Amino acid sequence: MTSPLPEPAASDLEAAFIEAADGNDDPPPLVRGSINRLIAWVFPAGLVIAMISAIPGVLVPFQLALMDPENKEFNLALVLSVSGAGSLIAGPIAGQISDRTRSRFGRRAPWIVVGSLVVALALVGMAFAGSVWGITIAWFFVQVAMAFVQGPFSAILPDRVPLHRRGVFAAASGIALMTGAVIGSIVAAALTDDYVVGYMVFAALAIVVLLLFVTFNPDHSSRDIHIDKLGWMDFVRTFWVNPIKHPDFFWAFTARLVLFTGYNMVIGYQFYVLSDYIGVERPQDFIPLFGVIGLIGIILGTVVSGPLSDRFGRRKPFVFGASIAMAVALFVPWIWPTIVGWGIMFAILALGFGMYVAVDTALMSQVLPSAKSFGKDLGVINIAASLPATIGPVASGIVIAIFGYVGLFPVAIVLSLLGAFAIWPIKSVR
């Protein structure tokens, strides 16, 4: 009588998953706890990550204004452009490095820990920086270190979450990021009079919350994984995924890029659209209200669409519908340029954007080519979300110079529709 074959060790399952799986495969079981517990922990971790992203909207400009009030606009542009370029480049590199990390704590945890420590130290540097260049260098390190936190953190979705729970996971993560940005702005605004304390508070949150996340949500050991030799061309290809070999990835990237560009073209110029196109005398009196409306809409869209996409086992109809809703929203102020029309647009746009972010994140996780490169490929995908924040305002400036503010809306509508129809060629996700 033959004895039963022994169950494979968890580390063997992890190594086999990394070697053979893609984004449409379920990962091995968690080391400890349930998916529900992981989702619960993702919320505070995502909240803190988003809170830190709110710093350049409040503390940095306040500090620069105290230092050199006459050149504050130029100095802020310098700080944000240098750090933005660093973050854009660091994202895929951080993913590539974490993909190839061997440790008993897994591929992602060491970099989340190291990244959070560097973020905290750099924030302390921000607090005591005595020059514009000191602030520029310190914030550059904050942004690069955040890439080493966010890249591995975003890879937790395909690394650990089964397909039938990814919508809920993405919804929880999306709500945390949206809520954290608002809470971060409130906390930063409350601490502007003593910005040194403000930076210290954010530094402490980064260390404590992210270390607790890693401690209570351990990953499988990656000491036994096979790592291909990394040559110079492999390093160059960090920023590239072959669209012919992986067409689903290409279409998902393109859809996000064009839709986010259209979104940023309009929202990035909100102040000037309200004052110069709609004719509002004091836009600053209305923008906080629209911020609250937007947050409520995004949360509602995220809460509803993420779980429903899990229940029906479909992503594409939700992403398509959200893109169409955003296009419809942009029609309202185009044909009805009033403060009420803008408010209606903002509500519908936020609802559609919330639906989009939740389900699109889950969809993106399923078009990743290989578990060997989840981190790197997610870093590339994140370029499709971050690059529009740079190119959107530039495109807006060109459109406004040629057609005036009224030209923003048809261009953004076309981009939203292109983002919707770019989803349908994807074959590996329903």
Side-chain angles (χ1 to χ4, degrees):
M1 182 177 177
T2 58
S3 59
L5 294 174
E7 290 290 327
S11 59
D12 294 335
L13 290 174
E14 177 72 2
F17 172 75
I18 293 172
E19 186 66 28
D22 61 26
N24 237 343
D25 290 311
D26 282 333
L30 297 175
V31 173
R32 185 193 307 162
S34 65
I35 291 296
N36 286 337
R37 192 177 82 166
L38 177 63
I39 292 172
W41 270 102
V42 158
F43 187 85
L47 197 75
V48 167
I49 289 172
M51 287 177 68
I52 293 171
S53 72
I55 290 174
V58 183
L59 291 183
V60 175
F62 181 83
Q63 187 180 10
L64 290 171
L66 289 178
M67 189 173 295
D68 184 3
E70 293 184 0
N71 299 300
K72 59 185 180 182
E73 294 88 356
F74 173 81
N75 291 334
L76 181 61
L78 172 67
V79 172
L80 297 184
S81 59
V82 170
S83 61
S87 177
L88 202 64
I89 295 171
I93 293 175
Q96 174 86 278
I97 292 173
S98 72
D99 286 334
R100 307 173 69 83
T101 296
R102 283 177 174 161
S103 85
R104 72 185 185 90
F105 302 106
R107 297 188 292 171
R108 317 301 179 189
W111 296 107
I112 294 176
V113 172
V114 171
S116 65
L117 293 174
V118 175
V119 166
L121 290 173
L123 287 174
V124 173
M126 290 285 294
F128 296 103
S131 67
V132 173
W133 278 110
I135 294 173
T136 302
I137 293 169
W139 189 247
F140 173 84
F141 277 106
V142 171
Q143 290 293 81
V144 171
M146 281 302 297
F148 277 85
V149 172
Q150 289 176 290
F153 184 78
S154 63
I156 289 171
L157 176 58
D159 275 352
R160 305 193 203 178
V161 183
L163 296 175
H164 72 281
R165 299 302 304 278
R166 289 189 186 177
V168 172
F169 185 97
S173 177
I175 293 171
L177 294 176
M178 302 300 174
T179 308
V182 174
I183 293 175
S185 296
I186 293 171
V187 172
L191 297 172
T192 49
D193 289 336
D194 195 346
Y195 64 83
V196 172
V197 173
Y199 284 122
M200 296 299 181
V201 168
F202 283 104
L205 284 171
I207 291 177
V208 172
V209 175
L210 293 172
L211 287 184
L212 285 174
F213 173 82
V214 169
T215 300
F216 286 96
N217 298 278
D219 199 1
H220 293 281
S221 168
S222 62
R223 286 185 297 187
D224 298 329
I225 67 171
H226 172 74
I227 298 177
D228 297 326
K229 185 178 179 181
L230 182 65
W232 282 108
M233 287 307 298
D234 295 308
F235 182 79
V236 171
R237 284 193 289 266
T238 295
F239 302 91
W240 170 256
V241 176
N242 191 323
I244 297 175
K245 188 175 180 181
H246 305 291
D248 285 355
F249 185 95
F250 166 79
W251 286 114
F253 180 94
T254 301
R256 178 179 283 193
L257 181 68
V258 295
L259 184 130
F260 273 53
T261 299
Y263 178 85
N264 279 280
M265 285 182 67
V266 174
I267 297 303
Y269 269 75
Q270 177 180 210
F271 191 98
Y272 298 136
V273 170
L274 288 172
S275 62
D276 296 359
Y277 175 65
I278 293 179
V280 177
E281 187 173 341
R282 287 177 54 84
Q284 61 268 34
D285 294 339
F286 292 91
I287 288 176
L289 172 63
F290 295 137
V292 173
I293 292 172
L295 181 61
I296 294 172
I298 287 172
I299 291 175
L300 285 175
T302 303
V303 168
V304 171
S305 62
L308 280 179
S309 73
D310 281 344
R311 176 171 294 183
F312 293 115
R314 293 180 178 273
R315 314 290 186 199
K316 287 163 61 174
F318 288 92
V319 177
F320 180 84
S323 304
I324 297 297
M326 293 172 70
V328 169
L330 292 165
F331 265 107
V332 179
W334 186 22
I335 61 176
W336 189 25
T338 65
I339 194 69
V340 175
W342 185 262
I344 293 172
M345 179 215 71
F346 219 92
I348 301 173
L349 194 70
L351 188 67
F353 191 72
M355 291 175 58
Y356 186 94
V357 168
V359 184
D360 183 62
T361 300
L363 183 148
M364 290 288 185
S365 75
Q366 292 181 239
V367 300
L368 299 175
S370 171
K372 291 182 179 180
S373 58
F374 278 167
K376 186 268 286 185
D377 294 336
L378 281 169
V380 174
I381 280 179
N382 286 337
I383 292 175
S386 56
L387 186 59
T390 301
I391 63 176
V394 174
S396 296
I398 296 171
V399 171
I400 292 167
I402 298 172
F403 302 105
Y405 286 95
V406 70
L408 287 178
F409 299 100
V411 173
I413 289 168
V414 169
L415 289 174
S416 297
L417 294 175
L418 289 175
F421 286 101
I423 290 296
W424 287 114
I426 296 174
K427 296 180 180 178
S428 60
V429 182
R430 293 192 298 165

